[in-house]
Amino acid sequence: MKLKILGCHGPYAARPGEATSGYLVTYGNTRLVMDLGSGALARLLNSVTADQIDGIFLSHLHYDHTSDMLTLKYALENTPVVLDVYVAEQNTNWYLELLNSKNFNIVPIATETMYKCRDLTLEFYKVKHPVDSYAVKVKGDKTLFYTGDTVYFDGLAEAASDSDVILADCAKPDDFRGPHMIKSDALKLTRLTGAKLIVTHIAPGCDAKALYSDVPEAEIAEEGKVFEI
């Protein structure tokens, strides 16, 4: 299983070449996209063609995780491609604008729902964020857990148990107060699960490498980087 970073910044990208949250998981001939924020689509379509995508998981509907779904509709509109989109259903204008397309097949998710995406098994867990937000456990020959945006809470380690790698929203110092995971909680999560940590959702001005410089086993997400899970 491989993980390619399409975009790793949030809530916005500030420099040329950066993009907000977007990730491509490849396992054999199965390709799963996890979130598709601003700037992520171009990298995605330089890695795969639209008809090679087996599914898209949207952790939540904040713009930095979904905005390129709008331009993906343009990319698909004159094609017969229909993509499964794994997302929690909502009755909001943004949900309808984002996902109302003949090229999207909505697959509703909720806590502990499970689906097969070709050779991958997907399990979903609700996490803690100001809007409905879900983590996903992606199982192939290895297991990847993507937290989406969340703070640490009781039950997150249990949801991430048996994972080989955790891709975590945790590029925040311990004095940060807000709806994202701080460094010490991310280290607690990896300690409890035994999983390897990849740090993502990096805000403009944050030096994630410096933040985790005393944790050499932690990896820092970078656009274009490919990780072997």
PDB file of all heavy atoms in Angstrom, residues 157-183:
ATOM      1  N   ALA A 157      -8.004   6.372  20.000  1.00  0.00           N
ATOM      2  CA  ALA A 157      -6.993   5.312  19.963  1.00  0.00           C
ATOM      3  C   ALA A 157      -7.633   3.961  19.676  1.00  0.00           C
ATOM      4  O   ALA A 157      -7.071   3.135  18.947  1.00  0.00           O
ATOM      5  CB  ALA A 157      -6.210   5.274  21.272  1.00  0.00           C
ATOM      6  N   GLU A 158      -8.815   3.740  20.239  1.00  0.00           N
ATOM      7  CA  GLU A 158      -9.515   2.480  19.960  1.00  0.00           C
ATOM      8  C   GLU A 158      -9.891   2.383  18.487  1.00  0.00           C
ATOM      9  O   GLU A 158      -9.745   1.331  17.857  1.00  0.00           O
ATOM     10  CB  GLU A 158     -10.765   2.371  20.828  1.00  0.00           C
ATOM     11  CG  GLU A 158     -11.534   1.081  20.633  1.00  0.00           C
ATOM     12  CD  GLU A 158     -12.770   0.982  21.502  1.00  0.00           C
ATOM     13  OE1 GLU A 158     -12.998   1.883  22.323  1.00  0.00           O
ATOM     14  OE2 GLU A 158     -13.521  -0.012  21.347  1.00  0.00           O
ATOM     15  N   ALA A 159     -10.358   3.500  17.911  1.00  0.00           N
ATOM     16  CA  ALA A 159     -10.708   3.502  16.493  1.00  0.00           C
ATOM     17  C   ALA A 159      -9.483   3.222  15.631  1.00  0.00           C
ATOM     18  O   ALA A 159      -9.576   2.527  14.620  1.00  0.00           O
ATOM     19  CB  ALA A 159     -11.325   4.851  16.112  1.00  0.00           C
ATOM     20  N   ALA A 160      -8.325   3.739  16.046  1.00  0.00           N
ATOM     21  CA  ALA A 160      -7.102   3.598  15.262  1.00  0.00           C
ATOM     22  C   ALA A 160      -6.303   2.342  15.591  1.00  0.00           C
ATOM     23  O   ALA A 160      -5.234   2.130  15.023  1.00  0.00           O
ATOM     24  CB  ALA A 160      -6.215   4.823  15.475  1.00  0.00           C
ATOM     25  N   SER A 161      -6.831   1.518  16.477  1.00  0.00           N
ATOM     26  CA  SER A 161      -6.100   0.321  16.893  1.00  0.00           C
ATOM     27  C   SER A 161      -5.811  -0.586  15.698  1.00  0.00           C
ATOM     28  O   SER A 161      -6.560  -0.609  14.718  1.00  0.00           O
ATOM     29  CB  SER A 161      -6.888  -0.453  17.944  1.00  0.00           C
ATOM     30  OG  SER A 161      -8.121  -0.916  17.411  1.00  0.00           O
ATOM     31  N   ASP A 162      -4.703  -1.309  15.765  1.00  0.00           N
ATOM     32  CA  ASP A 162      -4.278  -2.249  14.727  1.00  0.00           C
ATOM     33  C   ASP A 162      -3.858  -1.562  13.427  1.00  0.00           C
ATOM     34  O   ASP A 162      -3.723  -2.222  12.402  1.00  0.00           O
ATOM     35  CB  ASP A 162      -5.370  -3.285  14.426  1.00  0.00           C
ATOM     36  CG  ASP A 162      -5.759  -4.096  15.651  1.00  0.00           C
ATOM     37  OD1 ASP A 162      -4.856  -4.450  16.430  1.00  0.00           O
ATOM     38  OD2 ASP A 162      -6.960  -4.355  15.837  1.00  0.00           O
ATOM     39  N   SER A 163      -3.635  -0.251  13.477  1.00  0.00           N
ATOM     40  CA  SER A 163      -3.162   0.465  12.291  1.00  0.00           C
ATOM     41  C   SER A 163      -1.641   0.422  12.227  1.00  0.00           C
ATOM     42  O   SER A 163      -0.960   0.451  13.249  1.00  0.00           O
ATOM     43  CB  SER A 163      -3.627   1.925  12.319  1.00  0.00           C
ATOM     44  OG  SER A 163      -5.043   2.002  12.295  1.00  0.00           O
ATOM     45  N   ASP A 164      -1.121   0.361  11.027  1.00  0.00           N
ATOM     46  CA  ASP A 164       0.324   0.435  10.825  1.00  0.00           C
ATOM     47  C   ASP A 164       0.808   1.873  10.776  1.00  0.00           C
ATOM     48  O   ASP A 164       1.901   2.193  11.253  1.00  0.00           O
ATOM     49  CB  ASP A 164       0.711  -0.282   9.526  1.00  0.00           C
ATOM     50  CG  ASP A 164       0.383  -1.764   9.586  1.00  0.00           C
ATOM     51  OD1 ASP A 164       1.078  -2.500  10.302  1.00  0.00           O
ATOM     52  OD2 ASP A 164      -0.590  -2.176   8.927  1.00  0.00           O
ATOM     53  N   VAL A 165      -0.012   2.741  10.185  1.00  0.00           N
ATOM     54  CA  VAL A 165       0.341   4.150  10.017  1.00  0.00           C
ATOM     55  C   VAL A 165      -0.880   4.997  10.333  1.00  0.00           C
ATOM     56  O   VAL A 165      -2.004   4.647   9.941  1.00  0.00           O
ATOM     57  CB  VAL A 165       0.834   4.443   8.582  1.00  0.00           C
ATOM     58  CG1 VAL A 165       1.034   5.935   8.353  1.00  0.00           C
ATOM     59  CG2 VAL A 165       2.133   3.690   8.290  1.00  0.00           C
ATOM     60  N   ILE A 166      -0.655   6.121  11.026  1.00  0.00           N
ATOM     61  CA  ILE A 166      -1.708   7.104  11.262  1.00  0.00           C
ATOM     62  C   ILE A 166      -1.321   8.401  10.565  1.00  0.00           C
ATOM     63  O   ILE A 166      -0.265   8.979  10.840  1.00  0.00           O
ATOM     64  CB  ILE A 166      -1.936   7.360  12.762  1.00  0.00           C
ATOM     65  CG1 ILE A 166      -2.413   6.077  13.448  1.00  0.00           C
ATOM     66  CG2 ILE A 166      -2.958   8.476  12.970  1.00  0.00           C
ATOM     67  CD1 ILE A 166      -2.546   6.203  14.959  1.00  0.00           C
ATOM     68  N   LEU A 167      -2.156   8.829   9.634  1.00  0.00           N
ATOM     69  CA  LEU A 167      -2.025  10.123   8.975  1.00  0.00           C
ATOM     70  C   LEU A 167      -2.884  11.089   9.776  1.00  0.00           C
ATOM     71  O   LEU A 167      -4.121  10.994   9.737  1.00  0.00           O
ATOM     72  CB  LEU A 167      -2.497  10.029   7.525  1.00  0.00           C
ATOM     73  CG  LEU A 167      -2.532  11.319   6.711  1.00  0.00           C
ATOM     74  CD1 LEU A 167      -1.134  11.900   6.513  1.00  0.00           C
ATOM     75  CD2 LEU A 167      -3.210  11.072   5.357  1.00  0.00           C
ATOM     76  N   ALA A 168      -2.242  12.000  10.523  1.00  0.00           N
ATOM     77  CA  ALA A 168      -2.972  12.729  11.558  1.00  0.00           C
ATOM     78  C   ALA A 168      -2.916  14.235  11.376  1.00  0.00           C
ATOM     79  O   ALA A 168      -1.873  14.806  11.051  1.00  0.00           O
ATOM     80  CB  ALA A 168      -2.422  12.368  12.940  1.00  0.00           C
ATOM     81  N   ASP A 169      -4.049  14.857  11.635  1.00  0.00           N
ATOM     82  CA  ASP A 169      -4.165  16.299  11.769  1.00  0.00           C
ATOM     83  C   ASP A 169      -3.548  16.665  13.116  1.00  0.00           C
ATOM     84  O   ASP A 169      -4.223  16.666  14.142  1.00  0.00           O
ATOM     85  CB  ASP A 169      -5.647  16.678  11.708  1.00  0.00           C
ATOM     86  CG  ASP A 169      -5.954  18.046  12.293  1.00  0.00           C
ATOM     87  OD1 ASP A 169      -5.079  18.928  12.219  1.00  0.00           O
ATOM     88  OD2 ASP A 169      -7.071  18.223  12.819  1.00  0.00           O
ATOM     89  N   CYS A 170      -2.244  16.971  13.132  1.00  0.00           N
ATOM     90  CA  CYS A 170      -1.585  17.173  14.431  1.00  0.00           C
ATOM     91  C   CYS A 170      -0.397  18.117  14.352  1.00  0.00           C
ATOM     92  O   CYS A 170       0.527  18.017  15.160  1.00  0.00           O
ATOM     93  CB  CYS A 170      -1.151  15.830  15.017  1.00  0.00           C
ATOM     94  SG  CYS A 170       0.060  14.931  14.023  1.00  0.00           S
ATOM     95  N   ALA A 171      -0.408  19.054  13.414  1.00  0.00           N
ATOM     96  CA  ALA A 171       0.703  19.990  13.272  1.00  0.00           C
ATOM     97  C   ALA A 171       0.460  21.230  14.135  1.00  0.00           C
ATOM     98  O   ALA A 171       0.521  22.376  13.658  1.00  0.00           O
ATOM     99  CB  ALA A 171       0.890  20.367  11.814  1.00  0.00           C
ATOM    100  N   LYS A 172       0.199  20.994  15.423  1.00  0.00           N
ATOM    101  CA  LYS A 172      -0.077  22.082  16.352  1.00  0.00           C
ATOM    102  C   LYS A 172       0.757  21.903  17.618  1.00  0.00           C
ATOM    103  O   LYS A 172       0.840  20.794  18.157  1.00  0.00           O
ATOM    104  CB  LYS A 172      -1.561  22.101  16.739  1.00  0.00           C
ATOM    105  CG  LYS A 172      -2.526  22.312  15.574  1.00  0.00           C
ATOM    106  CD  LYS A 172      -2.363  23.670  14.926  1.00  0.00           C
ATOM    107  CE  LYS A 172      -3.391  23.883  13.810  1.00  0.00           C
ATOM    108  NZ  LYS A 172      -3.165  25.154  13.106  1.00  0.00           N
ATOM    109  N   PRO A 173       1.356  22.999  18.115  1.00  0.00           N
ATOM    110  CA  PRO A 173       2.103  22.911  19.372  1.00  0.00           C
ATOM    111  C   PRO A 173       1.157  22.726  20.555  1.00  0.00           C
ATOM    112  O   PRO A 173      -0.060  22.935  20.437  1.00  0.00           O
ATOM    113  CB  PRO A 173       2.816  24.268  19.441  1.00  0.00           C
ATOM    114  CG  PRO A 173       1.938  25.193  18.655  1.00  0.00           C
ATOM    115  CD  PRO A 173       1.359  24.354  17.543  1.00  0.00           C
ATOM    116  N   ASP A 174       1.715  22.362  21.688  1.00  0.00           N
ATOM    117  CA  ASP A 174       0.878  22.020  22.834  1.00  0.00           C
ATOM    118  C   ASP A 174       0.134  23.206  23.432  1.00  0.00           C
ATOM    119  O   ASP A 174      -0.833  23.016  24.180  1.00  0.00           O
ATOM    120  CB  ASP A 174       1.719  21.338  23.913  1.00  0.00           C
ATOM    121  CG  ASP A 174       2.054  19.897  23.545  1.00  0.00           C
ATOM    122  OD1 ASP A 174       1.507  19.391  22.544  1.00  0.00           O
ATOM    123  OD2 ASP A 174       2.873  19.277  24.255  1.00  0.00           O
ATOM    124  N   ASP A 175       0.554  24.439  23.110  1.00  0.00           N
ATOM    125  CA  ASP A 175      -0.175  25.600  23.632  1.00  0.00           C
ATOM    126  C   ASP A 175      -1.300  26.046  22.704  1.00  0.00           C
ATOM    127  O   ASP A 175      -1.983  27.039  22.970  1.00  0.00           O
ATOM    128  CB  ASP A 175       0.782  26.761  23.910  1.00  0.00           C
ATOM    129  CG  ASP A 175       1.539  27.230  22.663  1.00  0.00           C
ATOM    130  OD1 ASP A 175       1.367  26.620  21.592  1.00  0.00           O
ATOM    131  OD2 ASP A 175       2.311  28.209  22.781  1.00  0.00           O
ATOM    132  N   PHE A 176      -1.518  25.314  21.620  1.00  0.00           N
ATOM    133  CA  PHE A 176      -2.606  25.644  20.693  1.00  0.00           C
ATOM    134  C   PHE A 176      -3.957  25.310  21.327  1.00  0.00           C
ATOM    135  O   PHE A 176      -4.119  24.279  21.978  1.00  0.00           O
ATOM    136  CB  PHE A 176      -2.442  24.855  19.386  1.00  0.00           C
ATOM    137  CG  PHE A 176      -3.593  24.982  18.430  1.00  0.00           C
ATOM    138  CD1 PHE A 176      -3.724  26.095  17.622  1.00  0.00           C
ATOM    139  CD2 PHE A 176      -4.560  23.987  18.334  1.00  0.00           C
ATOM    140  CE1 PHE A 176      -4.782  26.225  16.745  1.00  0.00           C
ATOM    141  CE2 PHE A 176      -5.623  24.097  17.453  1.00  0.00           C
ATOM    142  CZ  PHE A 176      -5.738  25.219  16.659  1.00  0.00           C
ATOM    143  N   ARG A 177      -4.926  26.178  21.098  1.00  0.00           N
ATOM    144  CA  ARG A 177      -6.293  25.927  21.549  1.00  0.00           C
ATOM    145  C   ARG A 177      -7.210  26.057  20.346  1.00  0.00           C
ATOM    146  O   ARG A 177      -7.364  27.131  19.775  1.00  0.00           O
ATOM    147  CB  ARG A 177      -6.695  26.928  22.644  1.00  0.00           C
ATOM    148  CG  ARG A 177      -5.841  26.834  23.902  1.00  0.00           C
ATOM    149  CD  ARG A 177      -6.071  25.515  24.633  1.00  0.00           C
ATOM    150  NE  ARG A 177      -5.240  25.409  25.840  1.00  0.00           N
ATOM    151  CZ  ARG A 177      -4.040  24.845  25.875  1.00  0.00           C
ATOM    152  NH1 ARG A 177      -3.499  24.357  24.758  1.00  0.00           N
ATOM    153  NH2 ARG A 177      -3.358  24.780  26.998  1.00  0.00           N
ATOM    154  N   GLY A 178      -7.799  24.969  19.939  1.00  0.00           N
ATOM    155  CA  GLY A 178      -8.660  24.985  18.770  1.00  0.00           C
ATOM    156  C   GLY A 178      -9.047  23.573  18.388  1.00  0.00           C
ATOM    157  O   GLY A 178      -8.702  22.610  19.083  1.00  0.00           O
ATOM    158  N   PRO A 179      -9.751  23.395  17.266  1.00  0.00           N
ATOM    159  CA  PRO A 179     -10.333  22.102  16.907  1.00  0.00           C
ATOM    160  C   PRO A 179      -9.400  21.176  16.144  1.00  0.00           C
ATOM    161  O   PRO A 179      -9.815  20.486  15.226  1.00  0.00           O
ATOM    162  CB  PRO A 179     -11.535  22.507  16.057  1.00  0.00           C
ATOM    163  CG  PRO A 179     -11.081  23.745  15.352  1.00  0.00           C
ATOM    164  CD  PRO A 179     -10.214  24.466  16.346  1.00  0.00           C
ATOM    165  N   HIS A 180      -8.104  21.181  16.510  1.00  0.00           N
ATOM    166  CA  HIS A 180      -7.120  20.314  15.865  1.00  0.00           C
ATOM    167  C   HIS A 180      -6.229  19.684  16.937  1.00  0.00           C
ATOM    168  O   HIS A 180      -6.082  20.215  18.039  1.00  0.00           O
ATOM    169  CB  HIS A 180      -6.274  21.094  14.852  1.00  0.00           C
ATOM    170  CG  HIS A 180      -7.070  21.729  13.764  1.00  0.00           C
ATOM    171  ND1 HIS A 180      -7.450  21.044  12.620  1.00  0.00           N
ATOM    172  CD2 HIS A 180      -7.595  22.971  13.644  1.00  0.00           C
ATOM    173  CE1 HIS A 180      -8.162  21.847  11.850  1.00  0.00           C
ATOM    174  NE2 HIS A 180      -8.270  23.023  12.452  1.00  0.00           N
ATOM    175  N   MET A 181      -5.609  18.558  16.593  1.00  0.00           N
ATOM    176  CA  MET A 181      -4.836  17.800  17.560  1.00  0.00           C
ATOM    177  C   MET A 181      -3.471  18.443  17.817  1.00  0.00           C
ATOM    178  O   MET A 181      -2.799  18.854  16.873  1.00  0.00           O
ATOM    179  CB  MET A 181      -4.644  16.361  17.058  1.00  0.00           C
ATOM    180  CG  MET A 181      -4.341  15.366  18.165  1.00  0.00           C
ATOM    181  SD  MET A 181      -4.025  13.677  17.545  1.00  0.00           S
ATOM    182  CE  MET A 181      -5.263  13.488  16.274  1.00  0.00           C
ATOM    183  N   ILE A 182      -3.075  18.488  19.080  1.00  0.00           N
ATOM    184  CA  ILE A 182      -1.767  19.011  19.439  1.00  0.00           C
ATOM    185  C   ILE A 182      -0.729  17.887  19.437  1.00  0.00           C
ATOM    186  O   ILE A 182      -1.063  16.702  19.453  1.00  0.00           O
ATOM    187  CB  ILE A 182      -1.798  19.716  20.806  1.00  0.00           C
ATOM    188  CG1 ILE A 182      -2.264  18.751  21.908  1.00  0.00           C
ATOM    189  CG2 ILE A 182      -2.683  20.956  20.740  1.00  0.00           C
ATOM    190  CD1 ILE A 182      -2.234  19.358  23.301  1.00  0.00           C
ATOM    191  N   LYS A 183       0.530  18.295  19.435  1.00  0.00           N
ATOM    192  CA  LYS A 183       1.635  17.345  19.315  1.00  0.00           C
ATOM    193  C   LYS A 183       1.603  16.267  20.396  1.00  0.00           C
ATOM    194  O   LYS A 183       1.711  15.066  20.096  1.00  0.00           O
ATOM    195  CB  LYS A 183       2.963  18.105  19.368  1.00  0.00           C
ATOM    196  CG  LYS A 183       4.200  17.214  19.393  1.00  0.00           C
ATOM    197  CD  LYS A 183       5.455  18.044  19.564  1.00  0.00           C
ATOM    198  CE  LYS A 183       6.680  17.181  19.764  1.00  0.00           C
ATOM    199  NZ  LYS A 183       7.896  18.010  19.971  1.00  0.00           N
TER     200      LYS A 183
END
